């Protein structure tokens, strides 16, 4: 296997300062890609860049909020000015938002989850696709088992709606972008050990719980232990590489079989 499948390629990863985005950035950079690290928290992004450089890789930091059209336009412009093209885009930034029963979930809470997870994905693709069209490329959208196979996380209506919509976008765009030699796929992680719980507000969500229990643990492959960000990053790297050159419009569940139990 080629140890540097991404040599001479430029990648953009959103939410690159922690969790799956950080692991993906390190993985793509170790495979030879120049990686643009986009997110809201500059310190975290700088740390990721330091780690990439310590490993002999290269990249740049782009501070932007994915839900903000102007900031995203500027960030992508900065990237394409610094580099000659763009071939890989990982739309990963996301929040759990507020998990609450539907009659308790406030309109502004619903809107903020939609803004980051769905509008953020749209803006990422909207600004990047024109550059991918120049040489073809691969887009990976980080969705979830929630909203694509499972609907049992209590109170996660807004979150699962965004994750379902992301997969719909992937399937719609696989047709639209195929003629430009752009592939687009989704990874749908199950429980992964990251910092996402810091971005979760819960309120009376147990009122929306569905009483199901799995005595053997709910991740068959690991006996209940969550997956790692690196395990998701490996699948994203596969979808970014030529090894998946005939794959587009496809969700891949990275969950140790968790979603099949629900
Ligand atoms: P994380 O909180 O560690 O990482 C999310 C990153 O996105 C953070 O660096 C955060 O700063 C950034 N971010 C959040 N809002 C942003 C905004 N408005 N603009 C720019 N950056 C923003 O969590 P993670 O688990 O690595 O999540 C990454 C993706 O994986 C998310 O889309 C999430 O829905 C998805 N996912 C995670 C799990 C899990 O169990 N961890 C499961 C399924 C899906």
């Amino acid at each position: 296997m080629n140890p540097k499948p991404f040599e001479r390629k430029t990648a953009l990863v959103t939410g690159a300062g922690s969790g799956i985005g950080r692991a993906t950035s390190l993985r793509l950079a170790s495979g030879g890609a120049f990686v643009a690290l986009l997110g809201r928290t500059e310190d975290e992004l700088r740390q990721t860049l330091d780690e990439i450089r310590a490993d002999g890789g290269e990249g740049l930091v782009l501070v932007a909020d994915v839900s903000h059209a102007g900031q995203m336009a500027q960030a992508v412009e900065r990237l394409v000015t610094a580099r000659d093209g763009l071939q890989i885009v990982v739309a990963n930034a996301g929040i759990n938002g507020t998990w609450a029963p539907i009659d308790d979930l406030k309109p502004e809470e619903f809107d903020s989850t939609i803004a980051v997870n769905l509008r953020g994905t749209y803006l990422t693709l909207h600004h990047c696709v024109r550059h991918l069209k120049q040489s073809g490329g691969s887009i990976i959208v980080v969705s979830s088992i929630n909203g694509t196979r499972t609907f049992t996380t209590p109170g996660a209506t807004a979150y699962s709606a965004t994750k379902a919509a992301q997969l719909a976008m992937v399937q719609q765009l696989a047709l639209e972008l195929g003629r430009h030699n752009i592939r687009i796929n989704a990874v749908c992680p199950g429980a992964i050990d990251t910092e996402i719980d810091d971005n979760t507000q819960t309120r009376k969500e147990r009122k929306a719980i569905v009483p199901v229990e799995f005595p053997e643990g709910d991740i068959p492959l690991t006996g209940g232990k969550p997956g790692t960000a690196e395990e998701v990053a490996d699948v994203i790297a596969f979808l970014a590489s030529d090894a998946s050159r005939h794959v587009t419009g496809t969700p891949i569940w990275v969950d140790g079989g968790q979603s099949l139990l629900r």
Side-chain angles (χ1 to χ4, degrees):
M1 218 152 92
N2 178 2
K4 297 278 178 198
F6 310 119
E7 200 118 60
R8 287 183 297 281
K9 294 202 168 162
T10 298
L12 172 73
V13 179
T14 69
S18 64
I20 293 167
R22 175 183 161 277
T24 299
S25 302
L26 296 171
R27 179 72 176 72
L28 295 176
S30 76
F34 178 100
V35 186
L37 310 161
L38 189 146
R40 282 189 300 197
T41 320
E42 187 166 359
D43 284 359
E44 284 183 352
L45 299 168
R46 295 229 163 272
Q47 268 176 34
T48 308
L49 183 56
D50 287 347
E51 284 180 72
I52 286 175
R53 287 186 172 149
D55 193 38
E58 205 31 275
L60 82 92
V61 163
L62 298 170
V63 180
D65 181 332
V66 290
S67 67
H68 192 292
Q71 289 180 21
M72 287 304 286
Q74 270 185 359
V76 174
E77 198 47 46
R78 237 194 93 201
L79 171 59
V80 297
T81 309
R83 300 286 298 172
D84 222 10
L86 178 62
Q87 290 81 29
I88 298 164
V89 174
V90 183
N92 162 76
I95 54 170
N96 280 344
T98 303
W99 291 357
I102 190 72
D103 46 348
D104 199 69
L105 184 69
K106 297 186 173 59
E108 56 275 22
E109 293 169 336
F110 181 82
D111 287 349
S112 87
T113 303
I114 301 289
V116 177
N117 293 3
L118 185 53
R119 179 178 156 87
T121 301
Y122 152 72
L123 285 173
T124 303
L125 305 190
H126 173 68
H127 290 296
C128 287
V129 157
R130 71 195 66 174
H131 304 292
L132 290 172
K133 279 181 178 173
Q134 288 168 20
S135 56
S138 177
I139 300 168
I140 298 96
V141 175
V142 181
S143 171
S144 173
I145 60 171
N146 273 291
T148 61
R149 257 189 183 167
T150 76
F151 300 87
T152 46
T153 301
T157 307
Y159 180 78
S160 60
T162 63
K163 295 294 159 181
Q166 281 180 316
L167 182 52
M169 279 172 83
V170 161
Q171 290 170 322
Q172 173 87 22
L173 291 174
L175 293 177
E176 182 178 323
L177 300 176
R179 75 192 73 146
H180 301 286
N181 194 26
I182 300 171
R183 298 184 295 109
I184 177 166
N185 293 286
V187 295
C188 304
I192 305 294
D193 191 12
T194 70
E195 286 83 84
I196 201 155
D197 287 343
D198 302 347
N199 283 311
T200 314
Q201 287 78 47
T202 53
R203 197 173 57 246
K204 302 180 199 158
E205 87 288 359
R206 296 194 66 78
K207 285 195 171 167
I209 209 161
V210 183
V212 230
E213 264 185 41
F214 302 97
E216 306 290 326
D218 65 358
I219 307 177
L221 211 52
T222 61
K225 199 165 146 263
T228 65
E230 289 71 23
E231 285 164 341
V232 183
D234 278 346
V235 177
I236 293 176
F238 162 70
L239 289 171
S241 78
D242 282 350
S244 61
R245 62 196 168 277
H246 203 49
V247 182
T248 194
T250 296
I252 299 186
W253 286 277
V254 188
D255 67 347
Q258 181 184 358
S259 59
L260 294 171
L261 284 170
R262 305 287 176 117

